[in-house]
Amino acid sequence: MSTTEKLTKEEQELLCKMVSGEISLRKIEEFLGKDDSAKLRRAFLESEKNVSLDHISTYTFDSGQVGKKNVENMIGAIQLPLGVAGEIIIHGEYAAGKYYLPLATTEGALVASVNRGCSIITKSGGATVRVFKNMMTRAPVFKFNSLLETKKFYDWVMLPETFDKIKKTADATTRFGEFLDISPFVSGNNVHLRLGFDTKDAMGMNMITIASEAITQMIADETGVECVSLSGNMCTDKKPSAINAILGRGKTVVAEVCLSKSLIQETLKCTPEAMFDVNYRKNFLGSMRAGSLGFNAHAANIVAALFLACGQDPAHVVEGSLCVTEMDFSDDGGLICSVTLPAVEVGTVGGGTSVATQQECLKLLGVAGAGNIPGENALALSEIVAAAVLAGELSLVAAQAAGHLARAHARLGR
């Protein structure tokens, strides 16, 4: 049954006004609540485009909350198949124990592949994971009339007392966030200030954008220099960049496992030598020859599936793809395998983490909401992401080393 057949008389009248252009899609919420507004937008689209939108009309989350915090002009929800991989043993500083990984995807064979990687990691005693850096960035840009003005500003930024002023200004805008660093980058008569923050359990872009705006206002008051753009792309947010690959953004995380030769042969049906060869020629030589910023098999696959399941910003999969996968021989002929993710941008509060379905996935991982110590849940989630990527990398490299990739996709991906 189409949405238009479920409308009340009042809603039919409003729909006519929408069709005539008297009421816009955005303005309909002045007359109706979130759910009914979504229903009327669907009815409008059905009448305009002659389509049925019944499937997207079904959802269980709180439309009032979602419509206020997560989406505008809501018409319903899409559904993604959700699978689970694991269990996987993780030995992190913040994530420690056995985990089942919720993975939202439409790509057949992905969950099965990660599940196989989880199995061999667990049989090997688990993945060791550590966070090496934790700093979210925002980079406003300023322009000057001359090189002398540019240098004067640069020198002022580098003064210890300037750092203190900036930190005081930034920290006053947030209860939990903390200003950590300022790094100026010069291009002609332009200066980009890469500002770094600890955002605790939030991914933190809203938090640091507000703090950065306060900083630019303080700079204008102190120096008379106006900010051209609050984001000058040296951050760098949601775009592939060497600066994030080198300096990191969000959490920089490394996960490692040592696989024995016998376990590789029994479980992955290949040899350590074959896996090493695939990783070297594919992930290193192939990526280098292609000019890739990421040196991995399919890290973005796992990052995307976990992010969608757990309410993370899916655009940050771009930074997740910067992963470097390494494999080297151990003394006993096995493999020491690791993944380095320089920019894992995750949070357990704010954004999509409060949507009911995504929050359930965070609860499954034991990281929903704020940690007892601020920041520990987001750090735990970043460790889980790294371990999951390691599982996916092991499985795919092994599948290619054994010549099983096409067979698996033919069986599971069609």
Side-chain angles (χ1 to χ4, degrees):
M1 183 183 295
S2 69
T3 303
T4 51
E5 295 178 51
K6 305 172 188 177
L7 300 182
T8 65
K9 183 178 179 181
E10 178 190 1
E11 290 169 342
Q12 289 280 7
E13 292 173 353
L14 288 171
L15 176 60
C16 290
K17 292 181 179 180
M18 292 174 72
V19 172
S20 68
E22 186 178 341
I23 300 176
S24 68
L25 292 175
R26 179 174 59 88
K27 294 287 189 179
I28 194 62
E29 288 182 15
E30 295 179 5
F31 304 90
L32 300 171
K34 297 289 185 183
D35 284 321
D36 289 335
S37 293
K39 179 173 71 170
L40 214 59
R41 291 190 191 100
R42 290 195 301 273
F44 170 80
L45 293 172
E46 285 180 335
S47 65
E48 288 291 293
K49 297 300 179 181
N50 193 29
V51 295
S52 173
L53 301 178
D54 282 343
H55 288 291
I56 66 173
S57 69
T58 302
Y59 49 88
T60 60
F61 52 68
D62 184 337
S63 62
Q65 174 187 310
V66 169
K68 183 178 180 180
K69 295 183 177 182
N70 302 103
V71 70
E72 297 77 46
N73 284 355
M74 188 179 124
I75 61 172
I78 62 167
Q79 298 180 73
L80 282 171
L82 180 67
V84 65
E87 61 186 10
I88 181 173
I89 295 175
I90 301 175
H91 304 294
E93 287 185 272
Y94 306 95
K98 299 177 179 179
Y99 294 85
Y100 288 95
L101 308 174
L103 302 170
T105 183
T106 56
E107 180 182 348
L110 177 60
V111 176
S113 179
V114 176
N115 192 62
R116 187 171 75 136
C118 290
S119 176
I120 194 168
I121 288 173
T122 297
K123 289 176 181 177
S124 299
T128 301
V129 192
R130 290 295 183 271
V131 178
F132 284 84
K133 193 172 183 180
N134 178 19
M135 189 171 72
M136 183 56 76
T137 58
R138 177 58 89 198
V141 58
F142 303 81
K143 72 173 181 178
F144 301 87
N145 294 321
S146 69
L147 181 59
L148 295 179
E149 287 184 12
T150 305
K151 183 60 165 60
K152 181 180 178 181
F153 179 75
Y154 179 94
D155 290 341
W156 176 81
V157 167
M158 298 303 291
L159 294 172
E161 53 265 36
T162 300
F163 177 89
D164 293 339
K165 289 178 182 179
I166 289 175
K167 180 173 176 59
K168 183 179 180 180
T169 300
D171 290 353
T173 66
T174 172
R175 287 186 298 159
F176 299 106
E178 181 185 357
F179 179 77
L180 299 176
D181 184 69
I182 180 168
S183 298
F185 293 85
V186 178
S187 177
N189 293 340
N190 303 281
V191 178
H192 294 75
L193 298 182
R194 197 168 195 255
L195 308 171
F197 302 80
D198 179 354
T199 58
K200 305 304 179 186
D201 283 308
M203 183 271 286
M205 285 312 302
N206 290 337
M207 178 194 300
I208 69 174
T209 296
I210 292 168
S212 297
E213 185 174 43
I215 290 170
T216 60
Q217 186 57 56
M218 184 277 289
I219 289 174
D221 293 341
E222 288 272 333
T223 67
V225 178
E226 297 292 336
C227 173
V228 175
S229 173
L230 201 55
S231 175
N233 274 11
M234 283 289 290
C235 313
T236 295
D237 190 40
K238 302 174 183 176
K239 290 166 282 292
S241 68
I243 197 168
N244 286 346
I246 297 167
L247 297 182
R249 188 171 193 254
K251 278 77 170 165
T252 297
V253 197
V254 181
E256 176 188 82
V257 68
C258 187
L259 307 180
S260 69
K261 182 173 184 177
S262 60
L263 196 57
I264 291 173
Q265 291 172 332
E266 294 166 11
T267 305
L268 300 179
K269 311 302 181 185
C270 62
T271 65
E273 292 79 10
M275 287 183 65
F276 176 89
D277 204 38
V278 168
N279 192 64
Y280 172 66
R281 301 185 191 285
K282 168 188 170 67
N283 288 340
F284 280 89
L285 292 184
S287 299
M288 178 182 66
R289 192 71 178 89
S292 175
L293 291 176
F295 290 71
N296 61 80
H298 70 149
N301 251 341
I302 296 88
V303 173
L306 264 174
F307 276 25
L308 289 169
C310 296
Q312 308 304 302
D313 190 330
H316 283 147
V317 174
V318 172
E319 288 93 324
S321 71
L322 299 174
C323 168
V324 179
T325 299
E326 298 179 52
M327 296 185 183
D328 206 351
F329 293 110
S330 58
D331 292 339
D332 61 1
L335 283 179
I336 301 171
C337 308
S338 70
V339 292
T340 300
L341 290 101
V344 181
E345 297 152 331
V346 294
T348 57
V349 298
T353 65
S354 62
V355 179
T357 47
Q358 279 76 358
Q359 192 168 88
E360 287 181 359
C361 291
L362 290 171
K363 288 178 179 177
L364 177 64
L365 294 171
V367 296
N372 293 327
I373 299 174
E376 66 178 3
N377 275 359
L379 288 163
L381 181 56
S382 74
E383 292 181 340
I384 292 167
V385 170
V389 169
L390 178 61
E393 290 291 280
L394 291 177
S395 185
L396 182 53
V397 169
Q400 295 186 350
H404 294 166
L405 180 64
R407 186 189 316 166
H409 276 270
R411 182 168 59 90
L412 298 173
R414 285 189 171 180

